[in-house]
Structure formats: C-alpha cells, structure tokens
Amino acid sequence: MRPYIVAGNWKMHMDPESGRALASEIAGELRRQPSANGVQTVLCPPFLTLPAVHEAIAGSGIGLGAQNLYPQDSGAFTGEVGPGMLTAVGCTHVILGHSERRQYFNESDEFINAKARKALAHGLHPIVCIGETLEQRESGVTESVIDTQLRGALTGISPDDMRSIILAYEPIWAIGTGRTATPEQAQEVHVFIRTLLAELHGGEIAGDIVIQYGGSVKADNAAELFAQPDVDGGLIGGASLKADQFLAIIRAAEASA
Ligand code: 13P
C-alpha cells in the first residue's frame, strides 16, 4: 500500500536561523510522538536554509527536499544548483515543475522532464507538480492540461524509477488563494491521474504512486481532503510555515492512513 506523504513547501520564506527554529519545533514533536500509520513528512526550505534544517531534523525521520535543481551535474551555469549539491547537504526529495516556476520562469514540460531524470539519477525523489489554471478549468480542459503535463514530465522514465516519483496535483486557482478544491474535485482529478498512470505504466505501478494534493490545505480542511481514496497526502505552502498548523495536517494524514 502506498504511504501518505505530507510535504511543506516553504517557498521563499525562512532564512537559516528562522528555518532551523521552525524545523526544530516540528522535528521535536515528531520525535516525541512519531507519525503513526507510515505517514512521511518532508520539509522543503530554500536552498540556503537546507543545511540548517538538515541538522535540525536529524534522527526525526523527516525527509529533506529542495524546491528546484538544474539538470546538469556541474558546469558553467551561473546561479544554478545541481543535484549532487543537494544530496551533499542531505536532500532526499526535490520539488519540480511547481506552477510558480512554470509561470515566472517559463519552465516547460520538457525542461521539467530533464530535471526529473537528473534527480532520479542522483537518487532523489522528485515531487512533480501539475495543475490547471482557473481559466482552463472553467473552459473544461483540465484533463487535457493534466494529460499533457504528466506525459511531458514523465517521458522516458523507467517503470522502476516511476516508483520513486511523487506527484502533486496543485490547481493553480487554489494556491495561496484560500480557495481549496473540494474533496470531490481533488478526488476526480487524482483518479484521472492514476488512470493515466495505469495506461502509461500499468495498474500495479499506478497503484503505488503517491499523489499529493496542494492548494490552500489547512489544518481545518486537511482531514476531508485526505479522506479521499486517491489523495495520498499534501504539498503544503502557507500552513507549513507554522509548526502547530503543519503538525495538525500531519496528524490529519495519520488519522486517514
Ligand atoms: P498554499 O498551501 O499556500 O496554497 O500553497 C500551495 C503550494 O503551492 C504548495 O506547493
């Protein structure tokens, strides 16, 4: 059975000092009362805060994720960060293709695919984000958008590697807006994603892949989202910056698992 994974995407918040404090609070609580039912937690701070968070979560079972990488091992790529640098500071995961990167940095499905392959080659678990805009939803093309993003991001990835991938369905209209998808809306798209995965890689692999929901997940709506059979945890933005709220979301996942 696939696990639940709750990941905090800190975006461009938390310098090393404040990140260490937040991670220590979360890790302290999870050391005191480890997650039940196989729920996994991942923290994804900005690059510069990764080492401080790595120290703070030692021995807590929490995974460490970056928010991006450049798909080359090394070279003349001023300002970029490669996958080996991420594993060197303790990363286990990396968020790829977040809608903010697609929107503000023009990331294409092809580029995200190159990043995913590079991450896998370095033993990182990519958290690949997909999701439609409000305009796309209202014009009825959500499924075709998801289809294109998913096929594009996963091109050429072997069945074995597919098992290392985590998908995050993040409808853009729900990110940072306080307007979350209803549990039914989330479940509907998650089923579409899983059906497509089954078509591409077979039912067994499709059944094992974690599909997170992201977009205004809070302590008070997490339980109903996680209760959906195909919602396997969440990618949390704003609510991951407050230890008590993030921990409540983790506990909600434990209750659903
Ligand atoms: P919010 O939880 O702040 O809506 O952000 C979601 C998100 O983008 C996580 O990657």
Side-chain angles (χ1 to χ4, degrees):
M1 207 33 210
R2 53 185 186 262
Y4 275 64
I5 302 178
V6 177
N9 175 8
W10 291 3
K11 307 193 179 183
M12 203 174 74
H13 299 285
M14 299 288 160
D15 63 18
E17 194 184 330
S18 48
R20 184 191 301 274
L22 176 59
S24 297
E25 216 178 325
I26 295 164
E29 173 58 21
L30 289 180
R31 282 192 204 94
R32 198 186 61 75
Q33 191 185 328
S35 276
N37 301 331
V39 172
Q40 298 170 17
T41 300
V42 182
L43 298 181
C44 306
F47 286 135
L48 287 177
T49 303
L50 286 165
V53 171
H54 185 233
E55 281 175 21
I57 62 179
S60 68
I62 297 175
L64 183 66
Q67 299 173 16
N68 186 26
L69 60 69
Y70 191 74
Q72 292 287 337
D73 289 329
S74 62
F77 302 103
T78 301
E80 294 299 318
V81 174
M85 297 169 181
L86 299 181
T87 53
V89 296
C91 285
T92 48
H93 295 70
V94 59
I95 298 172
L96 298 176
H98 192 280
S99 61
E100 287 149 16
R101 297 212 59 85
R102 293 177 188 260
Q103 184 183 350
Y104 304 132
F105 304 98
N106 292 320
E107 291 199 4
S108 65
D109 291 325
E110 197 183 359
F111 192 40
I112 294 159
N113 178 245
K115 292 182 182 200
R117 290 181 192 218
K118 196 49 119 174
L120 290 163
H122 284 261
L124 289 160
H125 293 281
I127 302 177
V128 177
C129 304
I130 52 179
E132 81 286 1
T133 62
L134 184 58
E135 194 187 358
Q136 288 166 334
R137 173 162 282 263
E138 287 178 343
S139 54
V141 295
T142 297
E143 292 191 350
S144 72
V145 169
I146 298 286
D147 186 290
T148 303
Q149 290 178 338
L150 199 63
R151 286 178 197 270
L154 302 181
T155 299
I157 292 177
S158 72
D160 255 7
D161 278 345
M162 278 306 298
R163 293 184 188 277
S164 296
I165 289 203
I166 297 157
L167 293 171
Y169 169 56
E170 298 207 305
I172 294 167
W173 47 271
I175 295 177
T177 59
R179 176 182 172 188
T180 185
T182 65
E184 295 72 26
Q185 284 174 321
Q187 170 66 11
E188 195 182 0
V189 178
H190 284 225
V191 168
F192 176 77
I193 293 169
R194 208 177 297 286
T195 306
L196 184 58
L197 288 172
E199 190 188 304
L200 296 172
H201 293 284
E204 199 193 327
I205 288 175
D208 286 345
I209 291 180
V210 168
I211 308 175
Q212 298 175 316
Y213 168 79
S216 297
V217 179
K218 308 282 177 218
D220 61 5
N221 62 19
E224 57 179 16
L225 287 159
F226 297 163
Q228 298 297 313
D230 287 279
V231 177
D232 313 316
L235 184 55
I236 320 299
S240 72
L241 298 172
K242 296 268 184 303
D244 56 341
Q245 290 182 33
F246 190 58
L247 285 160
I249 294 169
I250 294 167
R251 299 304 182 203
E254 292 171 16
S256 302

CSV table of all heavy atoms in Angstrom, one decimal, residues 161-215:
chain,number,residue,atom,x,y,z
A,161,ASP,N,12.0,3.5,-12.0
A,161,ASP,CA,12.2,4.9,-11.5
A,161,ASP,C,10.8,5.5,-11.2
A,161,ASP,O,10.7,6.4,-10.3
A,161,ASP,CB,12.9,5.8,-12.5
A,161,ASP,CG,14.4,5.6,-12.5
A,161,ASP,OD1,14.9,5.1,-11.5
A,161,ASP,OD2,15.1,6.0,-13.4
A,162,MET,N,9.8,5.1,-11.9
A,162,MET,CA,8.4,5.7,-11.6
A,162,MET,C,8.1,5.5,-10.1
A,162,MET,O,7.4,6.3,-9.5
A,162,MET,CB,7.4,5.0,-12.4
A,162,MET,CG,7.2,5.5,-13.8
A,162,MET,SD,7.0,7.3,-13.9
A,162,MET,CE,5.4,7.5,-13.1
A,163,ARG,N,8.5,4.4,-9.5
A,163,ARG,CA,8.2,4.2,-8.1
A,163,ARG,C,8.8,5.2,-7.2
A,163,ARG,O,8.4,5.3,-6.0
A,163,ARG,CB,8.7,2.8,-7.7
A,163,ARG,CG,7.9,1.7,-8.4
A,163,ARG,CD,8.3,0.3,-7.9
A,163,ARG,NE,7.7,-0.8,-8.7
A,163,ARG,CZ,6.5,-1.2,-8.6
A,163,ARG,NH1,5.7,-0.7,-7.6
A,163,ARG,NH2,6.0,-2.2,-9.4
A,164,SER,N,9.8,5.9,-7.6
A,164,SER,CA,10.5,6.9,-6.8
A,164,SER,C,9.8,8.3,-7.0
A,164,SER,O,10.2,9.3,-6.3
A,164,SER,CB,12.0,7.1,-7.2
A,164,SER,OG,12.7,5.9,-6.9
A,165,ILE,N,8.9,8.4,-7.9
A,165,ILE,CA,8.3,9.7,-8.2
A,165,ILE,C,7.0,9.9,-7.3
A,165,ILE,O,6.3,9.0,-7.0
A,165,ILE,CB,7.9,9.8,-9.7
A,165,ILE,CG1,9.2,9.9,-10.5
A,165,ILE,CG2,6.9,10.9,-10.0
A,165,ILE,CD1,9.1,10.5,-11.8
A,166,ILE,N,6.9,11.2,-6.9
A,166,ILE,CA,5.7,11.6,-6.2
A,166,ILE,C,5.0,12.7,-7.1
A,166,ILE,O,5.8,13.5,-7.6
A,166,ILE,CB,6.1,12.2,-4.8
A,166,ILE,CG1,6.8,11.2,-3.9
A,166,ILE,CG2,4.9,12.8,-4.1
A,166,ILE,CD1,7.6,11.8,-2.8
A,167,LEU,N,3.7,12.6,-7.2
A,167,LEU,CA,3.1,13.6,-8.0
A,167,LEU,C,2.3,14.5,-7.0
A,167,LEU,O,1.8,14.1,-6.0
A,167,LEU,CB,2.1,13.0,-9.0
A,167,LEU,CG,2.8,12.2,-10.1
A,167,LEU,CD1,1.8,11.4,-10.9
A,167,LEU,CD2,3.6,13.1,-11.0
A,168,ALA,N,2.2,15.8,-7.4
A,168,ALA,CA,1.4,16.7,-6.6
A,168,ALA,C,0.5,17.4,-7.5
A,168,ALA,O,0.9,18.1,-8.5
A,168,ALA,CB,2.3,17.8,-5.9
A,169,TYR,N,-0.8,17.2,-7.3
A,169,TYR,CA,-1.9,17.9,-8.1
A,169,TYR,C,-2.1,19.2,-7.4
A,169,TYR,O,-2.6,19.2,-6.3
A,169,TYR,CB,-3.1,17.1,-8.2
A,169,TYR,CG,-4.3,17.9,-8.8
A,169,TYR,CD1,-4.2,18.6,-10.0
A,169,TYR,CD2,-5.5,18.0,-8.1
A,169,TYR,CE1,-5.2,19.4,-10.5
A,169,TYR,CE2,-6.5,18.8,-8.6
A,169,TYR,CZ,-6.4,19.5,-9.8
A,169,TYR,OH,-7.4,20.3,-10.2
A,170,GLU,N,-1.8,20.3,-8.0
A,170,GLU,CA,-2.0,21.6,-7.4
A,170,GLU,C,-2.7,22.5,-8.4
A,170,GLU,O,-2.1,23.1,-9.3
A,170,GLU,CB,-0.6,22.3,-7.1
A,170,GLU,CG,0.2,21.5,-6.1
A,170,GLU,CD,1.2,22.4,-5.3
A,170,GLU,OE1,2.0,23.1,-6.0
A,170,GLU,OE2,1.1,22.4,-4.1
A,171,PRO,N,-4.0,22.6,-8.3
A,171,PRO,CA,-4.8,23.5,-9.1
A,171,PRO,C,-4.3,24.9,-8.8
A,171,PRO,O,-4.3,25.4,-7.7
A,171,PRO,CB,-6.3,23.3,-8.8
A,171,PRO,CG,-6.2,22.5,-7.5
A,171,PRO,CD,-4.9,21.9,-7.3
A,172,ILE,N,-3.9,25.7,-9.9
A,172,ILE,CA,-3.3,27.0,-9.7
A,172,ILE,C,-4.3,27.9,-9.0
A,172,ILE,O,-3.8,28.8,-8.2
A,172,ILE,CB,-2.8,27.5,-11.0
A,172,ILE,CG1,-1.6,26.6,-11.5
A,172,ILE,CG2,-2.3,29.0,-10.9
A,172,ILE,CD1,-1.2,26.8,-12.9
A,173,TRP,N,-5.5,27.8,-9.3
A,173,TRP,CA,-6.5,28.7,-8.7
A,173,TRP,C,-6.7,28.5,-7.2
A,173,TRP,O,-7.3,29.3,-6.5
A,173,TRP,CB,-7.9,28.5,-9.4
A,173,TRP,CG,-8.3,27.1,-9.6
A,173,TRP,CD1,-8.0,26.3,-10.7
A,173,TRP,CD2,-9.1,26.3,-8.7
A,173,TRP,NE1,-8.5,25.1,-10.5
A,173,TRP,CE2,-9.2,25.0,-9.3
A,173,TRP,CE3,-9.7,26.5,-7.5
A,173,TRP,CZ2,-9.9,24.0,-8.7
A,173,TRP,CZ3,-10.4,25.5,-6.9
A,173,TRP,CH2,-10.5,24.2,-7.5
A,174,ALA,N,-6.1,27.4,-6.7
A,174,ALA,CA,-6.2,27.1,-5.2
A,174,ALA,C,-5.0,27.4,-4.5
A,174,ALA,O,-4.9,27.3,-3.2
A,174,ALA,CB,-6.6,25.6,-5.0
A,175,ILE,N,-3.9,27.8,-5.2
A,175,ILE,CA,-2.6,28.1,-4.5
A,175,ILE,C,-2.6,29.5,-3.9
A,175,ILE,O,-2.7,30.5,-4.6
A,175,ILE,CB,-1.5,27.9,-5.5
A,175,ILE,CG1,-1.4,26.4,-5.9
A,175,ILE,CG2,-0.1,28.3,-4.8
A,175,ILE,CD1,-0.3,26.1,-7.0
A,176,GLY,N,-2.5,29.5,-2.6
A,176,GLY,CA,-2.3,30.8,-1.9
A,176,GLY,C,-3.6,31.7,-2.0
A,176,GLY,O,-3.5,32.9,-1.6
A,177,THR,N,-4.7,31.1,-2.3
A,177,THR,CA,-5.9,31.9,-2.5
A,177,THR,C,-6.9,31.7,-1.4
A,177,THR,O,-7.9,32.4,-1.2
A,177,THR,CB,-6.6,31.5,-3.8
A,177,THR,OG1,-6.9,30.1,-3.8
A,177,THR,CG2,-5.8,31.8,-5.0
A,178,GLY,N,-6.7,30.6,-0.6
A,178,GLY,CA,-7.6,30.3,0.5
A,178,GLY,C,-8.8,29.5,-0.1
A,178,GLY,O,-9.7,29.1,0.6
A,179,ARG,N,-8.8,29.4,-1.4
A,179,ARG,CA,-9.9,28.7,-2.1
A,179,ARG,C,-9.4,27.3,-2.5
A,179,ARG,O,-8.8,27.1,-3.5
A,179,ARG,CB,-10.3,29.5,-3.4
A,179,ARG,CG,-11.4,28.8,-4.2
A,179,ARG,CD,-11.7,29.6,-5.4
A,179,ARG,NE,-12.5,28.8,-6.3
A,179,ARG,CZ,-12.9,29.1,-7.5
A,179,ARG,NH1,-12.4,30.2,-8.1
A,179,ARG,NH2,-13.7,28.4,-8.2
A,180,THR,N,-9.7,26.3,-1.6
A,180,THR,CA,-9.2,25.0,-1.9
A,180,THR,C,-10.2,24.2,-2.8
A,180,THR,O,-11.3,24.6,-2.9
A,180,THR,CB,-9.0,24.2,-0.6
A,180,THR,OG1,-8.4,22.9,-0.9
A,180,THR,CG2,-10.3,24.0,0.2
A,181,ALA,N,-9.6,23.2,-3.5
A,181,ALA,CA,-10.5,22.4,-4.3
A,181,ALA,C,-11.4,21.6,-3.3
A,181,ALA,O,-11.0,21.3,-2.2
A,181,ALA,CB,-9.7,21.4,-5.1
A,182,THR,N,-12.6,21.3,-3.7
A,182,THR,CA,-13.4,20.5,-2.8
A,182,THR,C,-12.8,19.1,-2.8
A,182,THR,O,-12.1,18.7,-3.8
A,182,THR,CB,-14.9,20.4,-3.3
A,182,THR,OG1,-14.9,19.7,-4.5
A,182,THR,CG2,-15.5,21.7,-3.4
A,183,PRO,N,-13.1,18.3,-1.8
A,183,PRO,CA,-12.6,16.9,-1.8
A,183,PRO,C,-13.0,16.2,-3.0
A,183,PRO,O,-12.2,15.4,-3.6
A,183,PRO,CB,-13.2,16.3,-0.5
A,183,PRO,CG,-13.4,17.5,0.4
A,183,PRO,CD,-13.8,18.6,-0.5
A,184,GLU,N,-14.2,16.4,-3.5
A,184,GLU,CA,-14.7,15.7,-4.7
A,184,GLU,C,-13.9,16.1,-5.9
A,184,GLU,O,-13.6,15.3,-6.8
A,184,GLU,CB,-16.2,15.9,-4.9
A,184,GLU,CG,-17.1,15.4,-3.8
A,184,GLU,CD,-17.0,16.1,-2.5
A,184,GLU,OE1,-16.7,17.3,-2.5
A,184,GLU,OE2,-17.2,15.5,-1.4
A,185,GLN,N,-13.6,17.5,-6.0
A,185,GLN,CA,-12.9,17.9,-7.2
A,185,GLN,C,-11.4,17.4,-7.2
A,185,GLN,O,-10.9,17.0,-8.2
A,185,GLN,CB,-12.8,19.5,-7.1
A,185,GLN,CG,-14.0,20.2,-7.6
A,185,GLN,CD,-13.9,21.7,-7.4
A,185,GLN,OE1,-13.3,22.2,-6.4
A,185,GLN,NE2,-14.5,22.5,-8.3
A,186,ALA,N,-10.8,17.3,-6.0
A,186,ALA,CA,-9.5,16.7,-5.9
A,186,ALA,C,-9.5,15.3,-6.3
A,186,ALA,O,-8.7,14.8,-7.1
A,186,ALA,CB,-8.9,16.9,-4.5
A,187,GLN,N,-10.4,14.5,-5.7
A,187,GLN,CA,-10.5,13.1,-6.0
A,187,GLN,C,-10.7,12.8,-7.5
A,187,GLN,O,-10.1,11.9,-8.0
A,187,GLN,CB,-11.7,12.5,-5.1
A,187,GLN,CG,-12.0,11.0,-5.5
A,187,GLN,CD,-10.9,10.0,-5.2
A,187,GLN,OE1,-9.9,10.3,-4.5
A,187,GLN,NE2,-11.1,8.8,-5.7
A,188,GLU,N,-11.6,13.6,-8.1
A,188,GLU,CA,-11.9,13.4,-9.5
A,188,GLU,C,-10.6,13.5,-10.4
A,188,GLU,O,-10.3,12.7,-11.2
A,188,GLU,CB,-12.9,14.5,-9.9
A,188,GLU,CG,-13.5,14.2,-11.3
A,188,GLU,CD,-14.5,15.3,-11.6
A,188,GLU,OE1,-14.7,16.3,-10.9
A,188,GLU,OE2,-15.1,15.2,-12.7
A,189,VAL,N,-9.8,14.5,-10.1
A,189,VAL,CA,-8.5,14.7,-10.9
A,189,VAL,C,-7.5,13.6,-10.5
A,189,VAL,O,-6.8,13.1,-11.3
A,189,VAL,CB,-8.0,16.1,-10.7
A,189,VAL,CG1,-6.7,16.3,-11.5
A,189,VAL,CG2,-9.0,17.2,-11.2
A,190,HIS,N,-7.4,13.3,-9.2
A,190,HIS,CA,-6.5,12.3,-8.8
A,190,HIS,C,-6.8,10.9,-9.5
A,190,HIS,O,-5.9,10.2,-9.9
A,190,HIS,CB,-6.5,12.1,-7.3
A,190,HIS,CG,-5.7,13.2,-6.6
A,190,HIS,ND1,-4.8,13.0,-5.5
A,190,HIS,CD2,-5.7,14.5,-6.8
A,190,HIS,CE1,-4.3,14.1,-5.1
A,190,HIS,NE2,-4.9,15.1,-5.8
A,191,VAL,N,-8.1,10.6,-9.6
A,191,VAL,CA,-8.5,9.4,-10.3
A,191,VAL,C,-8.1,9.5,-11.8
A,191,VAL,O,-7.5,8.5,-12.3
A,191,VAL,CB,-10.0,9.1,-10.2
A,191,VAL,CG1,-10.4,8.0,-11.1
A,191,VAL,CG2,-10.3,8.7,-8.8
A,192,PHE,N,-8.3,10.6,-12.4
A,192,PHE,CA,-7.8,10.8,-13.8
A,192,PHE,C,-6.3,10.6,-13.9
A,192,PHE,O,-5.9,9.9,-14.8
A,192,PHE,CB,-8.2,12.2,-14.2
A,192,PHE,CG,-7.7,12.5,-15.6
A,192,PHE,CD1,-8.4,12.0,-16.7
A,192,PHE,CD2,-6.6,13.2,-15.8
A,192,PHE,CE1,-7.9,12.2,-18.0
A,192,PHE,CE2,-6.1,13.5,-17.1
A,192,PHE,CZ,-6.8,12.9,-18.2
A,193,ILE,N,-5.6,11.1,-12.9
A,193,ILE,CA,-4.1,11.0,-13.0
A,193,ILE,C,-3.7,9.5,-12.8
A,193,ILE,O,-2.9,9.0,-13.6
A,193,ILE,CB,-3.4,11.8,-11.9
A,193,ILE,CG1,-3.6,13.3,-12.1
A,193,ILE,CG2,-1.9,11.5,-11.7
A,193,ILE,CD1,-3.3,14.2,-10.9
A,194,ARG,N,-4.4,8.8,-11.9
A,194,ARG,CA,-4.0,7.4,-11.6
A,194,ARG,C,-4.4,6.5,-12.8
A,194,ARG,O,-3.7,5.6,-13.2
A,194,ARG,CB,-4.6,6.9,-10.3
A,194,ARG,CG,-3.8,5.8,-9.7
A,194,ARG,CD,-4.3,5.3,-8.3
A,194,ARG,NE,-4.3,6.3,-7.3
A,194,ARG,CZ,-3.2,6.7,-6.6
A,194,ARG,NH1,-2.0,6.3,-6.9
A,194,ARG,NH2,-3.4,7.6,-5.6
A,195,THR,N,-5.5,6.9,-13.5
A,195,THR,CA,-5.9,6.1,-14.6
A,195,THR,C,-4.9,6.3,-15.8
A,195,THR,O,-4.5,5.3,-16.5
A,195,THR,CB,-7.3,6.6,-15.1
A,195,THR,OG1,-8.2,6.5,-14.0
A,195,THR,CG2,-7.8,5.7,-16.2
A,196,LEU,N,-4.4,7.5,-15.9
A,196,LEU,CA,-3.4,7.8,-16.9
A,196,LEU,C,-2.1,7.1,-16.6
A,196,LEU,O,-1.5,6.5,-17.5
A,196,LEU,CB,-3.2,9.3,-17.0
A,196,LEU,CG,-2.3,9.8,-18.1
A,196,LEU,CD1,-2.7,9.4,-19.5
A,196,LEU,CD2,-2.2,11.4,-18.1
A,197,LEU,N,-1.7,7.1,-15.3
A,197,LEU,CA,-0.5,6.4,-14.9
A,197,LEU,C,-0.6,4.9,-15.2
A,197,LEU,O,0.3,4.2,-15.7
A,197,LEU,CB,-0.3,6.6,-13.4
A,197,LEU,CG,0.2,8.0,-13.0
A,197,LEU,CD1,0.2,8.0,-11.4
A,197,LEU,CD2,1.6,8.3,-13.5
A,198,ALA,N,-1.8,4.3,-15.0
A,198,ALA,CA,-2.1,2.9,-15.3
A,198,ALA,C,-1.9,2.6,-16.8
A,198,ALA,O,-1.3,1.6,-17.2
A,198,ALA,CB,-3.4,2.5,-14.8
A,199,GLU,N,-2.4,3.6,-17.6
A,199,GLU,CA,-2.3,3.4,-19.0
A,199,GLU,C,-0.8,3.4,-19.5
A,199,GLU,O,-0.4,2.7,-20.3
A,199,GLU,CB,-3.1,4.6,-19.7
A,199,GLU,CG,-3.3,4.5,-21.2
A,199,GLU,CD,-3.9,5.8,-21.7
A,199,GLU,OE1,-4.9,6.2,-21.2
A,199,GLU,OE2,-3.2,6.4,-22.5
A,200,LEU,N,0.0,4.3,-18.8
A,200,LEU,CA,1.4,4.5,-19.2
A,200,LEU,C,2.3,3.4,-18.6
A,200,LEU,O,3.2,3.0,-19.3
A,200,LEU,CB,1.9,5.9,-18.8
A,200,LEU,CG,1.2,7.1,-19.4
A,200,LEU,CD1,1.7,8.4,-18.7
A,200,LEU,CD2,1.5,7.2,-20.9
A,201,HIS,N,2.0,3.0,-17.4
A,201,HIS,CA,2.9,2.1,-16.7
A,201,HIS,C,2.3,0.9,-16.1
A,201,HIS,O,3.0,0.2,-15.3
A,201,HIS,CB,3.7,2.9,-15.6
A,201,HIS,CG,4.6,4.0,-16.2
A,201,HIS,ND1,5.8,3.7,-16.7
A,201,HIS,CD2,4.4,5.3,-16.3
A,201,HIS,CE1,6.4,4.8,-17.1
A,201,HIS,NE2,5.5,5.8,-16.9
A,202,GLY,N,1.0,0.7,-16.3
A,202,GLY,CA,0.4,-0.5,-15.7
A,202,GLY,C,-0.2,-0.2,-14.3
A,202,GLY,O,0.2,0.7,-13.6
A,203,GLY,N,-1.2,-1.0,-14.0
A,203,GLY,CA,-2.0,-0.7,-12.8
A,203,GLY,C,-1.2,-0.9,-11.5
A,203,GLY,O,-1.5,-0.2,-10.5
A,204,GLU,N,-0.2,-1.8,-11.5
A,204,GLU,CA,0.5,-2.0,-10.2
A,204,GLU,C,1.3,-0.8,-9.8
A,204,GLU,O,1.2,-0.3,-8.7
A,204,GLU,CB,1.4,-3.2,-10.4
A,204,GLU,CG,1.8,-3.8,-9.0
A,204,GLU,CD,2.9,-4.8,-9.2
A,204,GLU,OE1,3.0,-5.5,-10.2
A,204,GLU,OE2,3.8,-4.9,-8.2
A,205,ILE,N,2.0,-0.3,-10.8
A,205,ILE,CA,2.8,1.0,-10.5
A,205,ILE,C,1.9,2.1,-10.2
A,205,ILE,O,2.1,2.9,-9.3
A,205,ILE,CB,3.8,1.3,-11.7
A,205,ILE,CG1,4.9,0.2,-11.7
A,205,ILE,CG2,4.3,2.7,-11.6
A,205,ILE,CD1,5.9,0.3,-12.9
A,206,ALA,N,0.8,2.3,-11.0
A,206,ALA,CA,-0.1,3.4,-10.8
A,206,ALA,C,-0.7,3.3,-9.4
A,206,ALA,O,-0.9,4.4,-8.7
A,206,ALA,CB,-1.2,3.3,-11.8
A,207,GLY,N,-0.9,2.1,-8.9
A,207,GLY,CA,-1.5,2.0,-7.5
A,207,GLY,C,-0.5,2.3,-6.4
A,207,GLY,O,-0.9,2.6,-5.3
A,208,ASP,N,0.8,2.3,-6.8
A,208,ASP,CA,1.8,2.5,-5.7
A,208,ASP,C,2.3,4.0,-5.7
A,208,ASP,O,3.0,4.4,-4.8
A,208,ASP,CB,3.1,1.7,-6.0
A,208,ASP,CG,2.9,0.2,-5.7
A,208,ASP,OD1,1.9,-0.1,-5.0
A,208,ASP,OD2,3.7,-0.6,-6.1
A,209,ILE,N,1.9,4.8,-6.7
A,209,ILE,CA,2.5,6.1,-6.8
A,209,ILE,C,1.6,7.1,-5.9
A,209,ILE,O,0.4,7.1,-5.9
A,209,ILE,CB,2.5,6.7,-8.2
A,209,ILE,CG1,3.6,5.9,-9.0
A,209,ILE,CG2,2.8,8.2,-8.3
A,209,ILE,CD1,3.7,6.2,-10.4
A,210,VAL,N,2.4,7.8,-5.1
A,210,VAL,CA,1.7,8.8,-4.2
A,210,VAL,C,1.3,10.0,-5.0
A,210,VAL,O,2.1,10.6,-5.7
A,210,VAL,CB,2.7,9.2,-3.0
A,210,VAL,CG1,2.2,10.4,-2.3
A,210,VAL,CG2,3.0,8.0,-2.1
A,211,ILE,N,0.0,10.4,-4.8
A,211,ILE,CA,-0.4,11.6,-5.5
A,211,ILE,C,-0.9,12.6,-4.4
A,211,ILE,O,-1.9,12.3,-3.7
A,211,ILE,CB,-1.6,11.4,-6.5
A,211,ILE,CG1,-1.2,10.3,-7.5
A,211,ILE,CG2,-2.0,12.7,-7.2
A,211,ILE,CD1,-2.4,9.8,-8.4
A,212,GLN,N,-0.1,13.6,-4.2
A,212,GLN,CA,-0.5,14.6,-3.2
A,212,GLN,C,-1.4,15.7,-3.7
A,212,GLN,O,-1.4,15.9,-4.9
A,212,GLN,CB,0.8,15.4,-2.7
A,212,GLN,CG,1.9,14.5,-2.1
A,212,GLN,CD,3.1,15.4,-1.8
A,212,GLN,OE1,3.5,16.2,-2.6
A,212,GLN,NE2,3.7,15.1,-0.6
A,213,TYR,N,-2.2,16.3,-2.9
A,213,TYR,CA,-3.0,17.4,-3.3
A,213,TYR,C,-2.3,18.7,-2.7
A,213,TYR,O,-1.9,18.6,-1.5
A,213,TYR,CB,-4.5,17.3,-2.8
A,213,TYR,CG,-5.1,18.7,-3.0
A,213,TYR,CD1,-5.6,19.0,-4.2
A,213,TYR,CD2,-5.2,19.6,-1.9
A,213,TYR,CE1,-6.2,20.3,-4.4
A,213,TYR,CE2,-5.8,20.8,-2.1
A,213,TYR,CZ,-6.2,21.2,-3.3
A,213,TYR,OH,-6.8,22.5,-3.5
A,214,GLY,N,-2.3,19.8,-3.4
A,214,GLY,CA,-1.8,21.0,-2.9
A,214,GLY,C,-2.6,22.2,-3.3
A,214,GLY,O,-3.1,22.2,-4.5
A,215,GLY,N,-2.8,23.2,-2.5
A,215,GLY,CA,-3.5,24.4,-2.8
A,215,GLY,C,-4.4,24.7,-1.6
A,215,GLY,O,-5.5,24.1,-1.5
